[in-house]
Amino acid sequence: MNPETYPYALGAIAVIWAVTYALRAFPFVALRGKEESPLVRLIATSMPLGVMVILVVFALRDTNFCSLASWVPAVGGILVTAVIHFKWANAMLSIVAGVATYWALGMLLA
């Protein structure tokens, strides 16, 4: 890196930091005092399901359902994650178990 570009790089890093900080702080500032709002309650109850749907779609997006070695680990990991989460409601346990299942099935079928 050329020393003449240091101010530009530092300025870019400062802008990136400021935008990231502002985006992370915005929800807390915007929703201050609105803990009892019906909108906040709706978001709090529906967002976890929405995030899980997005994660499942993302996990399955490159899955080749014609190849056993492709879809079995993905579907197995998702099923184990769902079963453990519904039974014990422990996000950490269900995620770790689902990833371990995905990994183990992937290794067995590779």
Side-chain angles (χ1 to χ4, degrees), residues 8-104:
Y8 176 78
L10 290 174
I13 291 170
V15 168
I16 291 168
W17 175 84
V19 169
T20 301
Y21 185 80
L23 287 173
R24 291 181 187 253
F26 176 74
F28 296 103
V29 173
L31 297 175
R32 184 178 299 146
K34 294 180 177 54
E35 288 83 17
E36 298 302 320
S37 164
L39 176 63
V40 172
R41 236 179 287 122
L42 174 69
I43 291 172
T45 57
S46 62
M47 194 169 196
L49 177 62
V51 169
M52 290 309 294
V53 167
I54 291 169
L55 288 173
V56 168
V57 169
F58 181 77
L60 295 176
R61 71 184 166 96
D62 291 329
T63 302
N64 179 6
F65 288 97
C66 295
S67 169
L68 194 67
S70 177
W71 70 267
V72 169
V75 172
I78 290 168
L79 288 175
V80 166
T81 302
V83 167
I84 290 176
H85 190 72
F86 285 127
K87 183 160 177 70
W88 289 291
N90 185 331
M92 180 65 79
L93 177 64
S94 61
I95 291 168
V96 169
V99 169
T101 302
Y102 177 82
W103 175 81

